[in-house]
Amino acid sequence: MIECWVILGGGQTWKLPTAVSWKLCYGTDTPCDSFSLRCLWKRGQEKVLSDACRFYAEWEGERVFTGVVDEFAVLCGKDGLYLELAGRGMAALLLDNEAMPAEYQKATRADIIANHVSPYGIAAVGGAGLASVNGFLVSSGESEWSVVRRYACYYGGVVPRFDRMGRLVLDPHADAKVVCVGDKDKITGWEYREERHGVLSQVAVRRRTTWGTQWVSDPAFIAQGGRARRVITVPNTTGTTAMRYTADYQLRAARRERVRMRLTAAGGFLAWPGDLVDVALEGFGANGRYRAAQVEVSCGGGGLTTTLVLGEVGAMI
């Protein structure tokens, strides 16, 4: 059974009534995590949640979601009196806030966290391996999330994400856990899709006016007949390692949705975004190892179900 709470603007915690239906959606990038639920309600409490700003949920005593309240509504109709509540994960705070334009002579992890994450009450974990970035520019109109993502992903090869406690995670996926999905999981539906458009076979990164070009290729896609090259120009001050990161990033990002498998199974919380998932279905032609890109857990008229959206292990999930 799921239990849910909201935190009011003054810091008080208020437990929500029994949820009759709910949905929790998780990802590893944008769009950010989201939640929605419908609860039993009592007349006379229509404005109790006007100050609700944060939300969290537990499943069998374990935290499974932390986020921001975006909207609520109290409805009365033929089905009785209900509360509907919806919102997003903590990434919403970084998406909704515009960063102050700035130019860092050398941007470090500490700089990015102090100036673009901590002011919103968000804790950050990991990222010790992220290198400093020379001449890091924050543009006018850029969101705080864009700043964090660009620093971690573009320059460090790490996709920033939020855990179930609402903390920003800046480490690569640990890959210590592998989830096995098979016929025992009562698969109720599946879809397998591949897309070639937008996938790159080769990336060249060159300095603006001085000599020096880094080439990175995707041998697997080339072997499949892929021919799509991009040439990226960077400032003269860009180091060789940074150029390599840039090229690798472009290849991995282009493969983000090259392969997509969607599995729906009975039960809840079969995997979490970023988990390695071994698919082994009888008579299925696309069995193998994937990485969970998105997870949706819902409970309603059709019972408790989990939908996994899986992608390639090495893609920028």
Side-chain angles (χ1 to χ4, degrees):
M1 179 178 176
I2 196 165
E3 295 180 290
C4 305
W5 292 261
V6 293
I7 300 175
L8 308 182
Q12 305 94 327
T13 300
W14 200 79
K15 187 174 183 179
L16 293 172
T18 302
V20 295
S21 63
W22 50 272
K23 179 187 293 185
L24 304 177
C25 301
Y26 307 87
T28 56
D29 202 343
T30 51
C32 67
D33 301 347
S34 63
F35 72 91
S36 61
L37 69 155
R38 171 178 273 204
C39 301
L40 300 174
W41 201 242
K42 185 183 296 184
R43 186 182 294 271
Q45 295 183 322
E46 284 72 21
K47 297 201 67 174
V48 167
L49 298 185
S50 294
D51 293 335
C53 58
R54 299 289 182 269
F55 166 88
Y56 66 94
E58 293 183 354
W59 175 261
E60 297 180 350
E62 180 183 356
R63 180 76 66 95
V64 292
F65 198 97
T66 302
V68 175
V69 175
D70 282 333
E71 60 179 315
F72 81 91
V74 179
L75 303 89
C76 183
K78 63 180 181 179
D79 295 329
L81 187 61
Y82 292 95
L83 164 73
E84 290 185 349
L85 189 73
R88 295 166 292 164
M90 295 297 285
L93 296 176
L94 303 185
L95 285 163
D96 291 350
N97 283 279
E98 185 176 329
M100 288 293 292
E103 184 173 355
Y104 292 89
Q105 182 176 0
K106 177 178 286 188
T108 65
R109 176 197 180 278
D111 293 329
I112 298 300
I113 297 304
N115 298 329
H116 304 283
V117 179
S118 296
Y120 306 99
I122 296 173
V125 295
L130 294 175
S132 302
V133 178
N134 294 323
F136 186 80
L137 181 67
V138 179
S139 303
S140 177
E142 191 173 9
S143 72
E144 299 285 32
W145 172 252
S146 174
V147 174
V148 173
R149 187 187 189 282
R150 190 159 49 84
Y151 169 76
C153 197
Y154 193 80
Y155 292 99
V158 175
V159 179
R161 58 200 184 278
F162 282 79
D163 64 13
R164 301 186 294 278
M165 300 298 294
R167 300 174 300 184
L168 175 66
V169 180
L170 295 172
D171 279 336
H173 299 294
D175 291 348
K177 175 185 176 183
V178 179
V179 178
C180 298
V181 175
D183 296 291
K184 61 177 176 53
D185 295 295
K186 299 180 182 178
I187 304 298
T188 59
W190 60 265
E191 173 186 311
Y192 182 82
R193 181 188 303 269
E194 291 193 19
E195 183 175 341
R196 295 174 67 90
H197 176 69
V199 180
L200 302 180
S201 59
Q202 191 176 58
V203 175
V205 179
R206 59 181 293 273
R207 295 188 179 94
R208 191 174 304 279
T209 58
T210 60
W211 179 88
T213 302
Q214 283 276 352
W215 293 88
V216 177
S217 302
D218 185 340
F221 188 49
I222 292 173
Q224 294 173 331
R227 292 294 298 272
R229 187 179 72 186
R230 294 292 181 273
V231 179
I232 300 170
T233 302
V234 297
N236 293 334
T237 55
T238 305
T240 302
T241 301
M243 292 172 66
R244 178 78 186 188
Y245 272 139
T246 301
D248 284 338
Y249 166 80
Q250 294 294 337
L251 279 184
R252 293 177 61 202
R255 294 189 68 93
R256 184 180 181 188
E257 297 191 18
R258 168 79 168 96
V259 172
R260 277 291 187 262
M261 183 189 300
R262 186 181 183 92
L263 298 172
T264 300
F269 305 102
L270 300 184
W272 298 103
D275 283 351
L276 295 177
V277 179
D278 283 348
V279 178
L281 301 175
E282 185 176 356
F284 188 53
N287 285 330
R289 177 162 292 183
Y290 299 86
R291 190 180 299 280
Q294 300 169 26
V295 178
E296 178 184 295
V297 185
S298 61
C299 184
L304 180 63
T305 62
T306 298
T307 297
L308 304 178
V309 178
L310 310 176
E312 293 179 300
V313 172
M316 187 68 73
I317 297 296

